[in-house]
Amino acid sequence: MKITVSYLFFALSTIVFLNSCDKPSKKLKPGIWRGALITESGAEIPFNFDVVDSANKYYIEIINSTDRFKVDEITHVGDSIHIQMPLFDSEINGTLIDGKIDGTWTKHLANKDTQMTFYAQADAPWRIKEKAGAPTVDVSGRWETTFTSVNTADTTKSDTTIAVGEFVQNQSKVTGTFLTSTGDYRYLEGMVEDNKLVLSTFDGSHAFLFTATINPDSTMTDGKFYSGFSSVDDFTAKRNEKAKLPDAYSLTFLKDSTKQIAFTFPNLEKKQISLSDARFKGKVVILQMLGSWCPNCMDETAFLSNFYDKYHSKGVEVLGLAYERTKDFEKSKVNLERLKKRFNVNYDILVTGFTNEKGEAAKSLPMLNSVMAFPTMIIIDKKGKVRKIHTGFSGPGTGNHYVEFVNEFDKLIDDLLAE
């Protein structure tokens, strides 16, 4: 058989083409992906993220309802991928092949790490189900909600948390959140199929899944709240458009009738900062009790950073009092510097206390009745007296509640400046 040059070229080209077809792709494909974390009980906590190719440098945006959380510390070598969350000291490590990632999400705590199985699929814009049946109910509105957590050490005991669910439903898609006295569950997104509700969120710190049955009598039953790897709480709810929480300004207060606070804590450069310093004299001072591990604190920091830039020249000072999950100053500093960079924070953040042991946070400010929640905001007038203490924070995921808070807060500070 005579083999021509053209035939040989064709045969070699075919082999190269077939080999290239069989070779697995290790590229991070741009577009919408569906990710999921697996709990200890096997429940799947789904979320979406958008992979963006910006001048051959990839970043992702984690999507929860209208919120997009940008993550740009991505290392991709061969089929290995590392995604470092910009906040919360957590990361995703996995293997990327043919538009799929298999790996783990690791959250670094003070004395240990926690891990959850993670996987993701490219070209998957759906969140809960790719093809879902039609809803038979509409959950739009307010729901009076009770979460019940069973004590694993003593199953005869349980703790309850009162919340208000607020949802908007468009066909089968549902967005909204649960509000509590200590903060909200941020941006939740999911769906209703028939009479079953499923909502989820992942923000780099918390992985949440809510499931429930919606009944004809406007109640939710069989509610399950999956949080992280192993936590599972029950919840029930009843539609109530007048449902509301206690006044956030009434929960934390000073034990001492002098209504003053005193402290000295180091900033990130280890300089000791005190409320008695000259820079705070005659100023309205806002103390922000926060932690770099706290998603609601992230929302409050975003708000206060912009607020400070607007009001500082008017005579307002802001101090962040950080309560970290480690006693290692340098580790706390790294996490807090990430927070400051993320939100362009121009006010001082002080390394204040430790949160991994019960009662530790309260020791730092013993004049308070308790440290009930992070964040907590303390507003001090120009004479150095505490005028208001706001527990928790309802962020932009709560819609009108956030708008109302911003308007009320601006008016409060304007009134204090005018005194």
Side-chain angles (χ1 to χ4, degrees):
M1 175 180 173
K2 184 178 180 182
I3 299 177
T4 65
V5 173
S6 59
Y7 175 83
L8 183 60
F9 175 78
F10 171 78
L12 291 173
S13 299
T14 301
I15 293 170
V16 170
F17 174 75
L18 291 174
N19 284 340
S20 65
C21 289
D22 293 337
K23 188 176 181 180
S25 172
K26 299 176 183 178
K27 292 184 177 180
L28 187 60
K29 189 175 182 180
I32 304 297
W33 290 55
R34 180 180 187 268
L37 297 161
I38 309 302
T39 72
E40 183 180 41
S41 62
E44 181 186 77
I45 303 179
F47 63 97
N48 297 104
F49 59 92
D50 189 4
V51 175
V52 181
D53 183 356
S54 177
N56 292 320
K57 181 174 175 59
Y58 291 99
Y59 67 88
I60 69 174
E61 292 181 329
I62 298 175
I63 304 169
N64 294 292
S65 185
T66 58
D67 184 53
R68 283 181 169 248
F69 183 64
K70 186 176 180 180
V71 181
D72 57 9
E73 294 183 57
I74 301 174
T75 305
H76 181 202
V77 179
D79 62 0
S80 297
I81 187 166
H82 170 80
I83 302 171
Q84 178 67 52
M85 296 299 162
L87 300 169
F88 313 128
D89 201 12
S90 75
E91 63 195 48
I92 291 172
N93 292 286
T95 301
L96 168 61
I97 297 177
D98 289 338
K100 295 181 180 180
I101 300 175
D102 290 293
T104 57
W105 171 53
T106 302
K107 188 174 179 180
H108 301 288
L109 303 177
N111 302 316
K112 64 176 182 179
D113 293 343
T114 62
Q115 287 190 333
M116 294 179 70
T117 296
F118 165 82
Y119 65 85
Q121 172 69 56
D123 298 321
W126 51 279
R127 189 181 188 92
I128 308 300
K129 280 188 175 182
E130 185 173 10
K131 295 180 180 179
T136 58
V137 293
D138 191 319
V139 299
S140 298
R142 296 168 68 84
W143 295 76
E144 185 179 336
T145 309
T146 301
F147 290 93
T148 303
S149 176
V150 176
N151 189 321
T152 54
D154 184 353
T155 56
T156 64
K157 297 180 180 180
S158 62
D159 296 319
T160 59
T161 300
I162 303 302
V164 175
E166 286 205 348
F167 310 111
V168 175
Q169 184 173 333
N170 183 4
Q171 297 182 357
S172 63
K173 182 177 179 179
V174 179
T175 57
T177 194
F178 289 98
L179 298 91
T180 75
S181 294
T182 59
D184 62 272
Y185 287 114
R186 306 193 76 244
Y187 298 87
L188 304 180
E189 181 180 340
M191 63 174 292
V192 171
E193 181 182 29
D194 191 8
N195 67 335
K196 304 297 183 183
L197 172 69
V198 183
L199 295 164
S200 68
T201 191
F202 173 67
D203 57 18
S205 174
H206 292 150
F208 293 157
L209 174 70
F210 301 84
T211 64
T213 299
I214 316 300
N215 303 304
D217 62 351
S218 295
T219 62
M220 294 187 192
T221 55
D222 305 320
K224 293 292 182 184
F225 168 33
Y226 302 86
S227 174
F229 180 62
S230 59
S231 176
V232 184
D233 292 344
D234 298 327
F235 75 90
T236 57
K238 183 176 179 59
R239 190 188 294 276
N240 180 1
E241 297 305 325
K242 296 182 179 180
K244 63 179 184 178
L245 297 169
D247 180 6
Y249 288 103
S250 68
L251 301 173
T252 306
F253 52 86
L254 291 177
K255 295 183 288 187
D256 190 337
S257 60
T258 61
K259 296 191 177 301
Q260 291 192 329
I261 284 182
F263 59 75
T264 301
F265 300 120
N267 66 10
L268 300 187
E269 287 69 48
K270 294 188 176 181
K271 179 183 178 181
Q272 297 294 321
I273 305 295
S274 172
L275 271 183
S276 61
D277 294 344
R279 69 190 247 205
F280 302 115
K281 296 295 184 182
K283 302 284 186 68
V284 173
V285 180
I286 299 166
L287 304 179
Q288 178 200 17
M289 299 176 69
L290 75 149
S292 65
W293 45 269
C294 163
N296 288 133
C297 299
M298 180 177 69
D299 289 334
E300 188 181 75
T301 301
F303 163 73
L304 280 176
S305 178
N306 291 329
F307 179 87
Y308 176 81
D309 292 343
K310 178 181 175 183
Y311 272 80
H312 182 230
S313 62
K314 298 180 181 181
V316 174
E317 291 287 349
V318 178
L319 268 179
L321 306 182
Y323 294 78
E324 294 300 286
R325 289 181 166 169
T326 174
K327 294 181 179 179
D328 184 329
F329 182 92
E330 293 304 321
K331 186 173 182 180
S332 295
K333 178 179 178 179
V334 169
N335 291 332
L336 291 167
E337 283 179 337
R338 282 179 175 272
L339 180 81
K340 291 194 70 171
K341 180 180 179 181
R342 177 79 179 189
F343 297 109
N344 192 30
V345 176
N346 293 315
Y347 53 85
D348 260 333
I349 293 181
L350 314 184
V351 179
T352 304
F354 180 60
T355 61
N356 259 36
E357 295 174 7
K358 189 175 181 180
E360 275 293 319
K363 292 179 183 178
S364 64
L365 297 175
M367 63 287 297
L368 296 179
N369 67 314
S370 68
V371 177
M372 180 178 176
F374 291 96
T376 291
M377 189 159 40
I378 303 171
I379 298 104
I380 302 172
D381 68 17
K382 292 188 286 187
K383 294 182 179 180
K385 291 190 177 294
V386 173
R387 298 292 289 270
K388 296 275 189 178
I389 301 179
H390 187 278
T391 302
F393 189 75
S394 295
T398 66
N400 286 336
H401 294 282
Y402 175 71
V403 175
E404 290 171 2
F405 165 80
V406 171
N407 292 336
E408 291 172 1
F409 188 80
D410 285 355
K411 183 179 185 307
L412 170 61
I413 301 304
D414 286 335
D415 288 347
L416 292 178
L417 287 170
E419 288 183 349

